[in-house]
Amino acid sequence: MNGILLPGGEERPLSFYLAMEEHVAAAYGSGFFVWRVAPTVIIGRNQDIYSEVNLAYCREHGIDVVRRKSGGGCVFADKGNIMISYITPRRRVENVFSEYLDRLSSFLRTLGFDAVTSSNNDVCVGGFKVSGNAFFVHPDADIVHGTLLHSLDFGMMERAITPSVEKLGKHGVQSVRQRVVNLVSLGLDMGPEELEEALMAAFCDSRAMLSPQDMKAVEEIERTYTDPAFLFGKAQENTYI
């Protein structure tokens, strides 16, 4: 698989990387890249932003809020959460998910962790979630976007995300924090940049840099994510913007 690289070293918002997934899917049909962002809450396509996100806290602490086009639950990302984009030609969803989860679990086992996949498309170590994943069926390719918890700020996560008691009850836990753990807390002796490079080496047999034309195309797609109508839905309120 081709590892996709970006020109320059500037920090980009999460909306850029979601748009980049779509562009790579349409222009190249497959690819793999990893990325990290400043504190951001990502909500699923069908989620109610007002019940899932503490918008006042996010506004006060400069936390971005982005809606993705795939389903699934609410995710918090910061520089300690490695985001993974895995793009393949169109196949059966379960086959792509299974392939990706197997490869990620195998990668973690090479680092010494007893990693297993769960029925919720998570990867767990010692009963705790270290990776959550969602699927987006793009017209041109299949996209899996996943997380890998290196050193996430769980305190900020708990304040930014506000899942319902009913949703937590389905998982048999009292809070979001009870279900997840950082790899550094499990003994990982590797910085986030080093872990990113190890992931690229494990998943990719070649690498390619996006061109200036590619970057312009990504920025065009990004506008669909930053549109307030897409983020807030029909019942927009002025609590965040």
Side-chain angles (χ1 to χ4, degrees):
M1 179 170 280
N2 217 15
I4 308 299
L5 305 176
L6 285 169
E10 66 268 27
E11 187 172 293
R12 295 176 174 86
L14 190 138
S15 55
F16 176 90
Y17 294 102
L18 294 179
M20 181 174 162
E21 289 179 337
E22 289 198 58
H23 175 68
V24 170
Y28 299 101
S30 66
F32 179 89
F33 55 97
V34 294
W35 39 284
R36 288 179 296 136
V37 293
T40 305
V41 171
I42 314 101
I43 60 173
R45 178 186 62 236
N46 300 313
Q47 286 190 297
D48 178 2
I49 192 171
Y50 303 107
S51 65
E52 298 283 347
V53 183
N54 185 340
L55 292 171
Y57 178 84
C58 290
R59 181 176 62 246
E60 180 182 354
H61 291 83
I63 300 171
D64 198 10
V65 180
V66 178
R67 187 184 295 276
R68 63 181 183 269
K69 297 177 184 178
S70 59
C74 204
V75 176
F76 176 78
D78 63 11
K79 291 294 187 179
N81 190 0
I82 294 175
M83 312 296 284
I84 302 171
S85 297
Y86 181 82
I87 303 163
T88 71
R90 290 287 301 276
R91 288 181 286 158
R92 291 175 63 88
V93 171
E94 56 268 30
N95 292 345
V96 176
F97 241 145
S98 177
E99 175 185 274
Y100 165 76
L101 292 170
D102 286 347
R103 293 186 67 176
L104 183 59
S105 297
S106 178
F107 165 75
L108 289 171
R109 287 193 290 271
T110 68
L111 300 181
F113 298 109
D114 185 18
V116 297
T117 62
S118 77
S119 58
N120 295 323
N121 300 314
D122 298 333
V123 176
C124 300
V125 175
F128 288 91
K129 175 178 171 179
V130 297
S131 173
N133 304 277
F135 199 95
F136 177 38
V137 179
H138 187 274
D140 300 296
D142 290 331
I143 301 172
V144 176
H145 21 231
T147 65
L148 188 58
L149 299 175
H150 177 274
S151 51
L152 185 79
D153 185 336
F154 288 123
M156 182 171 281
M157 178 192 75
E158 287 185 299
R159 292 171 177 83
I161 295 176
T162 55
S164 67
V165 173
E166 293 78 7
K167 181 174 292 187
L168 291 172
K170 290 180 181 179
H171 297 285
V173 296
Q174 297 297 315
S175 71
V176 176
R177 177 68 185 90
Q178 285 185 284
R179 299 186 59 221
V180 293
V181 67
N182 281 319
L183 289 173
V184 292
S185 298
L186 297 174
L188 179 69
D189 185 19
M190 183 182 288
E193 294 86 358
E194 190 178 358
L195 184 57
E196 286 181 321
E197 178 55 35
L199 279 164
M200 289 287 283
F203 277 83
C204 305
D205 51 22
S206 59
R207 303 192 187 190
M209 184 79 68
L210 290 187
S211 69
Q213 292 74 24
D214 287 320
M215 297 295 287
K216 290 180 181 179
V218 172
E219 290 165 0
E220 284 294 317
I221 299 171
E222 186 181 10
R223 295 177 184 175
T224 65
Y225 288 95
T226 57
D227 181 355
F230 175 70
L231 174 61
F232 291 96
K234 295 180 181 178
Q236 289 190 54
E237 296 180 7
N238 293 320
T239 55
Y240 189 76
I241 56 175

